[in-house]
Amino acid sequence: MNPTPVIVFDNVSFVYDGSTVLEDVSLSIEKNDFVWVVGPNGGGKTTLLKLILGLLQPSRGKVTIFGLRPSQARSKIGYMPQHAQVDPRFPVTVMDVALMGRLGNGTRFGRYGKTDKEAAGKALEDVGLYDLRDRHFSALSGGQQRRLLVARSLASDPAILLLDEPMANLDFIVEKELYSLLIKLNEDRTVVMVSHDPSLVTQDVKNVVCVNRKVAIHPTFEVDSRMMGDLYRGKVRMVRHDQRTDKE
């Protein structure tokens, strides 16, 4: 029996201001998939995520999440946007930021109950930041801030985790630590991660969704430099992040 898809695009197109951003997209993502969405800047990657979230409506076709309209399934999705919506100068603690992820559950800001605090604490434990829960956001390193934003998206205990450019502007060591965290989180949820950087290919990812107005989905083992070159319209050098050396 084939697994039931959790995300389905059925012949979806999206047009903005007279320009076609996505055209005739048909794909399905199954439960506990780890999907890597790649493509050049402006190719439609973030639009794809916003259609999943129901923040945008298709110009044609249909998007379903667990068989529901995206707006009906939003509580099942945790979302980490590309740009953090936390002012580093604002005096909020690590726990305050994690609790923001509970606002979509009918909780009003500043009126968090015991269940909200327990869920936020569990999310912080999952990303390794619980011991820093009373620290100010501005006192965290860049990698810690990124993990905290993942925790915020986990606080609602979502079945699907969407991440828009989570690795952007991180050094290699921090990037590797964050990637290991996402692999662990993928054990009991579907992870969809957007990146414009094709060098992040790893065999831990199950499928790669290539987006440049049109969309194609491939198993990771099919992805090579020629395919990425066609997508990015130029030469691309692929880097395997699952390789090990004798010194490791």
Side-chain angles (χ1 to χ4, degrees):
M1 185 172 64
N2 292 328
T4 302
V6 297
I7 300 172
V8 176
F9 278 65
D10 183 8
N11 199 33
V12 170
S13 294
F14 181 78
V15 178
Y16 177 74
D17 198 23
S19 297
T20 300
V21 180
L22 292 173
E23 183 179 3
D24 298 330
V25 177
S26 291
L27 64 87
S28 64
I29 296 173
E30 297 172 358
K31 182 179 178 181
N32 285 23
D33 264 1
F34 191 153
V35 177
W36 184 50
V37 182
V38 298
N41 289 329
K45 301 185 302 298
T46 297
T47 298
L48 196 77
L49 291 194
K50 290 183 176 180
L51 287 166
I52 294 172
L53 288 163
L55 299 177
L56 296 175
Q57 301 301 317
S59 303
R60 187 181 67 201
K62 184 178 181 181
V63 180
T64 55
I65 312 298
F66 294 103
L68 304 171
R69 295 195 304 270
S71 59
Q72 296 174 311
R74 200 169 293 163
S75 63
K76 300 178 183 292
I77 302 173
Y79 175 52
M80 177 182 164
Q82 183 174 351
H83 302 291
Q85 297 175 336
V86 178
D87 188 337
R89 298 168 296 181
F90 192 70
V92 291
T93 66
V94 167
M95 178 59 81
D96 290 333
V97 174
L99 280 166
M100 292 177 188
R102 299 292 297 173
L103 294 176
N105 288 37
T107 302
R108 294 184 180 181
F109 187 79
R111 298 178 63 88
Y112 300 107
K114 180 180 178 181
T115 301
D116 297 317
K117 293 175 182 178
E118 289 176 348
K122 171 67 164 54
L124 290 174
E125 288 178 354
D126 288 344
V127 303
L129 292 179
Y130 185 76
D131 290 344
L132 303 181
R133 61 192 179 279
D134 296 323
R135 186 170 295 187
H136 279 215
F137 178 80
S138 59
L140 299 181
S141 68
Q144 288 171 333
Q145 289 183 359
R146 204 65 60 86
R147 280 192 282 150
L148 176 54
L149 296 176
V150 173
R152 183 178 67 178
S153 67
L154 287 174
S156 61
D157 191 24
I160 300 171
L161 188 59
L162 303 183
L163 307 109
D164 195 354
E165 299 282 4
M167 308 296 182
N169 303 314
L170 295 179
D171 64 44
F172 177 73
I173 298 299
V174 176
E175 176 187 290
K176 190 173 180 180
E177 291 173 350
L178 181 57
Y179 202 86
S180 295
L181 170 63
L182 297 180
I183 293 169
K184 182 179 179 181
L185 294 175
N186 177 234
E187 292 175 0
D188 55 8
R189 58 180 50 82
T190 303
V191 176
V192 180
M193 184 183 78
V194 164
S195 176
H196 71 279
D197 184 359
S199 70
L200 290 176
V201 170
T202 167
Q203 294 303 308
D204 294 297
V205 172
K206 297 180 178 71
N207 290 298
V208 177
V209 175
C210 301
V211 183
N212 192 359
R213 196 173 85 165
K214 290 193 175 280
V215 170
I217 186 167
H218 302 276
T220 305
F221 65 82
E222 291 183 357
V223 177
D224 56 22
S225 296
R226 176 178 295 182
M227 183 183 295
M228 288 293 105
D230 291 341
L231 178 65
Y232 287 83
R233 302 182 188 280
K235 292 183 178 180
V236 173
R237 181 173 179 265
M238 302 297 291
V239 178
R240 284 282 299 276
H241 284 241
D242 58 331
Q243 290 179 334
R244 299 288 184 270
T245 67
D246 293 339
K247 295 181 180 180
E248 291 184 311

